[in-house]
Amino acid sequence: LYFSVQEGILFFYHIKDLQYEMKICADILQPISSLVFSPDYTVLLLVTDQGTLYTYKPAHSGEAVKLLDACSSCFLAADFLTPGDKYCMSVTISGEVQVWFLEDGTCLSKLNLDIEVYV
């Protein structure tokens, strides 16, 4: 079980039978607004309140890697494009939809909806 707290800390709870173990996985120093696993559960996408996207690879137990910073407006939501875990899509409050290559954060495509977006 992965979850975050207001301070921007990503926690992992390993639960087995009636016992559990808690581990701090990453501290990104920004409140996390959403967590999304890739379809194959190898990458966790973290979206912050300030509009920054991070990736975290549970199998590598490393730090969360900053992928993208908010451009013209904050990222409102993000999710993986399936199949696989190489691309993600984001939407900003200003209505810009973007497709990103996760390996290096390259923006591959964008479309402006010309409306303000709410979740």
Side-chain angles (χ1 to χ4, degrees):
L1 172 67
Y2 285 89
F3 73 96
S4 66
V5 294
Q6 189 65 25
E7 292 81 20
I9 300 171
L10 177 66
F11 289 96
F12 170 70
Y13 268 99
H14 179 89
I15 303 168
K16 185 174 182 179
D17 299 323
L18 297 176
Q19 297 184 341
Y20 70 91
E21 176 185 350
M22 184 183 79
K23 175 183 166 189
I24 295 176
C25 298
D27 185 355
I28 60 172
L29 305 174
Q30 296 179 25
I32 299 169
S33 58
S34 68
L35 306 169
V36 182
F37 259 110
S38 63
D40 61 1
Y41 295 97
T42 59
V43 180
L44 186 60
L45 191 63
L46 312 171
V47 182
T48 71
D49 285 351
Q50 282 85 24
T52 307
L53 297 178
Y54 289 83
T55 57
Y56 177 77
K57 296 183 178 180
H60 297 134
S61 298
E63 284 295 311
V65 176
K66 184 188 286 187
L67 181 66
L68 308 166
D69 262 326
C71 304
S72 57
S73 65
C74 290
F75 294 116
L76 191 58
D79 202 349
F80 288 89
L81 290 176
T82 57
D85 59 3
K86 293 183 180 187
Y87 306 97
C88 78
M89 186 173 87
S90 65
V91 63
T92 64
I93 294 169
S94 64
E96 188 171 76
V97 177
Q98 300 164 316
V99 176
W100 304 93
F101 183 54
L102 288 174
E103 191 170 304
D104 61 6
T106 302
C107 180
L108 301 174
S109 179
K110 61 180 152 181
L111 170 68
N112 195 331
L113 302 175
D114 292 321
I115 59 168
E116 201 165 299
V117 177
Y118 301 94
V119 174

